[in-house]
Amino acid sequence: MKNKYIKKGIFCILLLATVKTATYAQPSVAASKREHVCIDNDWRFALGHPYDPAKDFYNGTGGFSYFAKTGYGDGAASPGFDDRGWRKINLPHDWAVEQPFSPKGSTSHGSKAIGRNFPDASVGWYRKTFVVPATDLGKHISIAFDGVFRNSIVWVNGHYLGTEPSGYNSFEYDISEYLNYGGNNVIAVRADATMEEGWFYEGAGIYRHVWLNKTDQLHIAANGTCVTTQVKNNIADVTATATIINSDKKARSFSVTQTIVDADGKTLATGKATGLTLKPFTSQDVKSVLPVTNPKLWSIETPFLHRLLTTVEENGAVTDSYTTTFGIRTIRFDANEGFFLNGKHVKIKGTNNHQDHAGVGAAMPDALQEFRIRTLKGMGCNAYRCSHHPPTPELLDACDRLGMLVIDENRLMGVASTELNDLKRMILRDRNHPSIISWSIGNEEWGIEGNITGARIAATMQTFAKSIDSSRYITAAISGGIGNGISTVIDVLGYNYVATKNTDEQHKKYPHQFSWGTEEGSTVASRGIYEDDMSKQQLVAYDRKQNEFFYSLEQGWKHYAARPYLAGMFIWTGFDYRGEPTPFGWPSVVSYFGMVDACGFPKDDYYYLKAWWTDQTVVHLLPHWNWQGKEGQEIRVCAYSNCDEVELFLNKKSLGKKIMELNGHLEWQVKYQPGTLEAIGYKKGVKAGSDIVKTTLAPAQIKLQADRAAIKADGKDIAIIAVQAADKNALGVPTAENEVGFSIGGPGKIIGVGNGNQTSLEPDQYVERANLVSIGNLKEKFVDDLNVKAEVAADYDDSGWQTAFKDVRDDNFGQKVKALVYRAGFSIPADAAAATATFFSKNIGKVQSIYINGKQIAKEIKEIDESPEFKLDASLLHPGINTIAIVATPLLKANIWSGVNTDPGLIQLLYPAASYKRKLFNGNAQVIVQSTGQPGQIILKATSPGLKAAVVQITAADK
């Protein structure tokens, strides 16, 4: 990267701000040369191999490798590599979620057939061809990846750019000098997911966005703006810093303007510095302190966002501009009273979450991030811990917009340059998000958390983090060693599970230390299950502690709610996630920890938290009331509510009114009778809310409910459709397990399905499959001309022919040999009739004709023609060994050091995707539908044998 060689100035320019009111931002930003272009679409993908060169497209096998000589990317890294047979995909993409399940897969990663035991599915290649206009010559152009899992290597036009080991770091490469301006360019990415980085499902591939960034050589650095705020006496002092870089080969003089505007575009304050100069390949920080009077503060309830517009001008012309979204707010921890936001005490009511969702795995569309945050806020969650790595930027954007506090977590503890640089990259990228209140430097580092080594590492990382951002607090999540090691030096002590710890004793020993629960609960439950069934690996949804090392959800919350010095807690977890199916193994492939399942359907614990984490009146009953065969037997009935009292009725007969304990729940033992179970909640003696569960009939119909009626026709936006089985009275059947099939019409596509069942081994996705049939071991025979017949016949005996290309293809060869016949056999699988076969040919002669199984498919193709492709009729191929014959005039070497093409091409067998389907789990399933980019009506239809079909319509609109 060019930027790594730029010297950063040891001083900064401090600007005095001039306040402007009742004005609006000027359109100067529009004149900027900066472009931030998403290049997610139109990639090619194929699986490679970790150690077999033939299966890894012979990358790194050349006489000079890409480490030896600049621009020597070979195999699939070469710009001339023929990728026409690869699958066409759009990003983000997770190839792990496409794989089947296997008992040989990693249990912690959801038992997908990927990793050490599956070398044929553990390396992925991506390629994209793109055009850079000739007018871009002279610009600073870079390619930015938000995240690739993992150990990614990137080339552009055969030039090696770098390797990023972590699957969670964002990274960017300067490609300005490698580009073909006015022509085609090729990006190649190799990702190797053989080795796991975490202990949870992580996906595989380019699972986040990719961007092409274009700026003037004089520009604002990547992640080069920083905004901090201080509020006093109803005036916010906004400190805005911009790092300006001169990547040019000459000195540049310029000015910088920094302007704050509100959500309506109203200008609140402006500062300007003039007379600035930067020598080539140097940088300088420019700082403004901009006062904002009567600021609208960012908070959980009112997440008001401002924008900082930074503009760089040279001789009156804008060379660069950048918009930074930020919020004005203050944060403070108190060792005895907890956390304060804008001076107001806030009890942290958080959840831990991984980046993983039913149907799509780690490659989550942006709108799914918002869906998940809204789901969590629905139960009163006000904080999100990014477990256990830096998140995708769009997750933080959603938290900013919706009002969700965040712990942003570093992946790996350490003080070598690698770990510190990773920590720095996270902070620089994310520091302007008002939602972030704490940087976490690590999680459960068992080897060091309780010893002096851990204390030294933590102290160094904490000081280093504060040197980059002193406005936030540093935390670390600790599961053992409290009172020693890391816990003795960290700003905010993070307790992981207090059942085995004495927080009161720690607070007494370290009275000035801040603390909160970074993980609590760890309860395990299956949605809608109320009797343990170990044979099916299903666990009751009643709240209970997992074992003696953990509290129940209620016990944990009572502990934190009763202690003001504890700032709050983060439940493990908000959503279920693939992998870690504690306490089971195969065939469980999803965790049981979530307050909602992997689709976002609430478990009953969700309503316990909603009762005590929100001001909304909550009355929730469990279990369902479908207990045929248990008439007269006692059923455990629970009510979650924040009412003063709750009265339970069965078929309108009162079973008693009980007083609700603070942060508690109520229970009855009820002898089962079919009918209606109702709970009525009272506040101050007056009915405040109720919940009803009824015995249902058998499933009779399907119901579909989209989370929204309209989406953007941008090829990215999604609608999330809840699928439910209902009886003839339209009551949801809580025990239904019908298989439902889905079809879709209009400008939309299904990208994933799920049902929240931890033991479901059904596919998440139904995608087309591309099998590549290589053609090798060519033989050759010299002939007089192209008019041959016998040698191209399917049954011709070529056993006496010589190996092809044995002779050097020089001028002497061309004088001696007028034409050749090349022959080879290739194997077609038994199921090829279900596929579309395409021969992607490459010229091995100046003029050539092609025969497959004796039938001519191409006549006298010229070398100057682009490599053609041919659809092969199903009747032309047969299972087993087939033959190809190519009659050609010889290709000759252009010079003594060059070679000739010896690859005749390959055959792609493209198998269409099967129709989407999914079994219901306890009455529910989920379908995710994505825009294909055109406006119109998307129609999703759901069918199931014996049930009335359902249709939902979603509008895809340009605006």
Side-chain angles (χ1 to χ4, degrees), residues 51 63 262 327 470 480 503 673 701 723:
Y51 52 81
D262 65 15
S470 61
T503 64
Q673 297 176 14
Q701 58 183 308
V723 185

Side-chain angles (χ1 to χ4, degrees), residues 139-209:
K139 292 183 179 180
H140 182 274
I141 301 178
S142 62
I143 184 170
F145 294 83
D146 286 344
V148 182
F149 194 86
R150 67 172 289 279
N151 201 34
S152 65
I153 310 174
V154 183
W155 298 262
V156 165
N157 293 335
H159 294 272
Y160 169 71
L161 302 184
T163 300
E164 173 53 59
S166 176
Y168 301 108
N169 290 334
S170 297
F171 55 97
E172 187 167 357
Y173 300 115
D174 179 358
I175 60 175
S176 308
E177 316 302 347
Y178 301 132
L179 294 173
N180 175 25
Y181 293 92
N184 286 335
N185 298 268
V186 177
I187 307 168
V189 180
R190 183 184 188 269
D192 188 345
T194 302
M195 181 177 172
E196 300 168 354
E197 190 168 348
W199 51 96
F200 40 83
Y201 180 84
E202 301 181 276
I206 309 179
Y207 70 103
R208 296 179 181 174
H209 296 304

Side-chain angles (χ1 to χ4, degrees), residues 584-602:
F584 302 114
W586 178 265
S588 291
V589 295
V590 174
S591 78
Y592 293 73
F593 300 117
M595 301 299 98
V596 301
D597 67 19
C599 297
F601 294 119

Side-chain angles (χ1 to χ4, degrees), residues 26-221:
Q26 299 301 309
S28 60
V29 172
S32 169
K33 297 179 180 180
R34 176 179 289 266
E35 296 180 60
H36 183 57
V37 182
C38 182
I39 55 172
D40 284 351
N41 291 347
D42 302 319
W43 289 71
R44 296 275 187 168
F45 171 76
L47 291 172
H49 203 275
Y51 52 81
D52 186 337
K55 292 182 178 180
D56 204 40
F57 309 106
Y58 295 100
N59 174 247
T61 62
F64 293 96
S65 75
Y66 54 87
F67 286 143
K69 296 289 184 179
T70 303
Y72 271 56
D74 60 348
S78 169
F81 177 83
D82 187 0
D83 59 20
R84 291 175 296 162
W86 291 13
R87 263 178 63 201
K88 296 177 181 179
I89 64 159
N90 292 335
L91 307 178
H93 174 244
D94 175 3
W95 89 73
V97 79
E98 300 173 356
Q99 304 308 308
F101 297 96
S102 170
K104 294 182 179 180
S106 170
T107 302
S108 69
H109 282 62
S111 298
K112 284 290 188 176
I114 186 172
R116 293 277 183 206
N117 294 332
F118 304 93
D120 288 325
S122 297
V123 170
W125 279 91
Y126 297 84
R127 286 172 56 90
K128 178 181 173 65
T129 300
F130 64 105
V131 174
V132 176
T135 53
D136 281 350
L137 181 63
K139 292 183 179 180
H140 182 274
I141 301 178
S142 62
I143 184 170
F145 294 83
D146 286 344
V148 182
F149 194 86
R150 67 172 289 279
N151 201 34
S152 65
I153 310 174
V154 183
W155 298 262
V156 165
N157 293 335
H159 294 272
Y160 169 71
L161 302 184
T163 300
E164 173 53 59
S166 176
Y168 301 108
N169 290 334
S170 297
F171 55 97
E172 187 167 357
Y173 300 115
D174 179 358
I175 60 175
S176 308
E177 316 302 347
Y178 301 132
L179 294 173
N180 175 25
Y181 293 92
N184 286 335
N185 298 268
V186 177
I187 307 168
V189 180
R190 183 184 188 269
D192 188 345
T194 302
M195 181 177 172
E196 300 168 354
E197 190 168 348
W199 51 96
F200 40 83
Y201 180 84
E202 301 181 276
I206 309 179
Y207 70 103
R208 296 179 181 174
H209 296 304
V210 182
W211 307 89
L212 196 64
N213 293 320
K214 304 178 184 181
T215 67
D216 189 274
Q217 297 291 356
L218 179 67
H219 60 276
I220 301 157

Side-chain angles (χ1 to χ4, degrees), residues 113 145 227 231 297 395 449 501 507 545 562 842 887 945:
F145 294 83
V227 184
V231 181
L297 302 183
L395 180 277
E449 65 181 10
K501 303 167 183 67
H507 180 56
K545 60 184 181 182
K842 298 171 69 175
V887 186

Side-chain angles (χ1 to χ4, degrees), residues 462-718:
Q462 179 167 259
T463 304
F464 178 78
K466 288 181 177 181
S467 74
I468 305 165
D469 175 25
S470 61
S471 70
R472 292 178 176 90
Y473 297 79
I474 312 302
T475 192
I478 302 170
S479 59
I482 299 299
N484 301 293
I486 296 173
S487 71
T488 65
V489 299
I490 201 72
D491 273 354
V492 187
L493 169 58
Y495 290 104
N496 279 11
Y497 311 110
V498 296
T500 58
K501 303 167 183 67
N502 190 325
T503 64
D504 294 336
E505 182 179 301
Q506 175 74 6
H507 180 56
K508 185 177 180 179
K509 186 176 180 181
Y510 297 94
H512 302 297
Q513 185 177 47
F514 315 133
S515 56
W516 53 9
T518 37
E519 291 180 25
E520 192 50 62
S522 199
T523 56
V524 287
S526 306
R527 175 181 54 79
I529 295 296
Y530 302 101
E531 291 182 312
D532 284 337
D533 188 336
M534 296 303 177
S535 65
K536 293 184 178 180
Q537 297 188 353
Q538 293 179 343
L539 299 173
V540 297
Y542 297 107
D543 179 33
R544 64 181 178 184
K545 60 184 181 182
Q546 183 187 148
N547 54 47
E548 294 305 313
F549 297 100
F550 302 94
Y551 280 158
S552 69
L553 186 64
E554 183 175 318
Q555 288 174 317
W557 175 239
K558 284 181 174 178
H559 181 94
Y560 282 89
R563 290 165 172 79
Y565 69 83
L566 292 170
M569 72 175 192
F570 292 80
I571 296 296
W572 188 265
T573 54
F575 280 75
D576 279 345
Y577 56 94
R578 290 174 175 80
E580 289 196 299
T582 306
F584 302 114
W586 178 265
S588 291
V589 295
V590 174
S591 78
Y592 293 73
F593 300 117
M595 301 299 98
V596 301
D597 67 19
C599 297
F601 294 119
K603 301 180 188 179
D604 293 286
D605 282 347
Y606 181 96
Y607 298 99
Y608 168 78
L609 292 176
K610 186 174 182 177
W612 300 115
W613 281 10
T614 75
D615 295 328
Q616 302 174 44
T617 297
V618 175
V619 181
H620 175 76
L621 269 179
L622 63 148
H624 61 69
W625 210 237
N626 281 22
W627 297 102
Q628 290 82 352
K630 291 185 176 292
E631 287 77 8
Q633 298 182 32
E634 287 193 338
I635 304 293
R636 180 187 176 192
V637 175
C638 296
Y640 294 145
S641 179
N642 49 15
C643 293
D644 302 331
E645 299 174 299
V646 176
E647 187 172 9
L648 184 67
F649 296 83
L650 176 58
N651 296 329
K652 298 186 178 181
K653 179 182 178 180
S654 176
L655 302 182
K657 181 186 293 185
K658 296 187 177 183
I659 297 174
M660 179 64 70
E661 175 194 3
L662 179 65
N663 296 319
H665 74 284
L666 296 175
E667 293 191 17
W668 292 260
Q669 292 294 325
V670 180
K671 291 184 178 180
Y672 177 66
Q673 297 176 14
T676 300
L677 195 66
E678 180 178 16
I680 296 178
Y682 301 89
K683 290 185 176 181
K684 297 181 179 180
V686 178
K687 179 180 177 180
S690 64
D691 189 27
I692 295 174
V693 292
K694 292 185 177 182
T695 306
T696 72
L697 302 175
Q701 58 183 308
I702 303 171
K703 297 170 70 175
L704 299 176
Q705 180 64 52
D707 70 320
R708 48 198 177 133
I711 62 175
K712 290 178 284 189
D714 60 359
K716 300 287 186 183
D717 205 6
I718 62 168

